[in-house]
Amino acid sequence: MKLLSKTCMYGIRAVLYLTSLEQEKSYVHIRQISEHLHLSFHFLTKILQNLAAHNIIDSYRGPNGGVSLARPARKIKVIELINAIDGKDSFRGCILALPGCGEGTPCPLHAYWGETRDRIKSAFENTTLAKLEKQITEGGLRLI
Amino acid sequence: MKLLSKTCMYGIRAVLYLTSLEQEKSYVHIRQISEHLHLSFHFLTKILQNLAAHNIIDSYRGPNGGVSLARPARKIKVIELINAIDGKDSFRGCILALPGCGEGTPCPLHAYWGETRDRIKSAFENTTLAKLEKQITEGGLRLI
DNA sequence: TTATTTTCAGATAAAATAGTCTTAAATATG
DNA sequence: CATATTTAAGACTATTTTATCTGAAAATAA
Ligand code: SF4
Ligand code: SF4
């Protein structure tokens, strides 16, 4: 069972780290992020390029360059990251992969699955980076 | 988001088909199953070999050979198939893949995830093939 | 016995995912 | 301007998952 791809996990962790720094619009080097989270710098760079293309983070080249959140953390929903990295249809996936499903009668596992899946999805839709960050600081939760 | 691997989906569908035939301990050709479900015969054979090794189905070679449920459908739980195919640790997977997790303090997504994951798992633990089969016949649900 | 049918076992191939590396482009500073 | 720094872009490699293929082993039937 894989809720998110590894790529997506890395993206979320990186952006949560950015959130935790909560500097006012100053760029953070990707190298700093990758070292802090123990991730491959090059791989993370690719992931963050994607998030930049989706206007979730801003990026800037050269010395003093780096990445930063494109908006305040309370305006970025976790589902946005998931959609950007794992694709919009990530939560459309079903349980038995029947050909041409969703139109006719459902498979016998649909009842169990559909509801649960929607609940998971809406949890991500209703969670902002700020919300998660609050939990991190209040609950002593960790990113690494 | 992938709840089950494709391999696992195929295995479940195949075994549900066996259940639907509910013949008294007579073997069904894998070829018949694969054609009915539109799956690759060779691939399905490998999946069913695995299920046979895990004592979920019985198999028999030669003409009149094939596979059949190892026990009555009401005594086979869906989680058994998942454990056999996707592995015992399938529902241990987490959301941020932190190194050495589960021991110390959790990551900020753990709260959302853990509960949901356990609910999904216990749904599979409390569902037998017979239960699903009942839904199929009563609800006009489909396997192909 | 001999031929046929079927699963078993393992090698191989293709596709998807994950990760690495190299070079180019933009920016800052002296 | 020249140079150092940093992200951008894309080719390349590695690993995992999914799928195919081949021949052996077991059971049956003629
Ligand atoms: S009925 Fe639902 S769970 Fe089943 S195959 Fe279709 S979409 Fe997937
Ligand atoms: S705290 Fe839970 S969800 Fe987060 S990384 Fe650990 S096991 Fe996974």
Side-chain angles (χ1 to χ4, degrees), chain A:
Chain A
M1 164 173 225
K2 227 160 72 174
L3 195 64
L4 306 175
S5 68
K6 277 192 170 192
T7 311
C8 194
M9 296 175 183
Y10 297 162
I12 292 175
R13 285 170 67 195
V15 170
L16 278 177
Y17 175 61
L18 274 183
T19 304
S20 77
L21 297 178
E22 56 184 325
Q23 306 165 340
E24 294 124 31
K25 199 60 190 172
S26 91
Y27 292 102
V28 178
H29 297 159
I30 296 175
R31 183 126 250 151
Q32 176 186 338
I33 304 175
S34 72
E35 281 174 0
H36 188 261
L37 300 181
H38 306 109
L39 299 178
S40 146
F41 164 74
H42 284 103
F43 194 27
L44 184 58
T45 293
K46 241 168 73 161
I47 297 169
L48 294 183
Q49 273 171 33
N50 180 16
L51 292 182
H54 282 84
N55 293 308
I56 291 167
I57 61 176
D58 285 337
S59 65
Y60 201 76
R61 293 197 243 200
N64 314 340
V67 293
S68 72
L69 298 183
R71 285 162 273 150
R74 73 193 144 76
K75 294 201 172 171
I76 300 178
K77 296 172 178 172
V78 177
I79 191 75
E80 294 180 63
L81 307 192
I82 298 173
N83 284 340
I85 297 172
D86 282 349
K88 286 267 185 194
D89 293 342
S90 175
F91 284 94
R92 286 208 171 163
C94 72
I95 216 171
L96 289 189
L98 298 183
C101 201
E103 300 136 23
T105 51
C107 82
L109 287 171
H110 190 97
Y112 291 112
W113 176 231
E115 199 187 334
T116 306
R117 179 189 53 190
D118 292 348
R119 212 166 21 219
I120 296 173
K121 190 181 179 188
S122 79
F124 285 131
E125 280 167 346
N126 295 319
T127 305
T128 63
L129 294 180
K131 229 175 184 173
L132 279 184
E133 167 56 20
K134 198 170 166 225
Q135 286 186 46
I136 295 174
T137 50
E138 288 181 357
L141 310 179
R142 67 207 183 107
L143 278 180
I144 53 168

Side-chain angles (χ1 to χ4, degrees), chain B residues 94-98 101 106-107 110 113:
Chain B
C94 74
I95 215 172
L96 288 189
L98 298 184
C101 201
C107 82
H110 190 98
W113 176 231

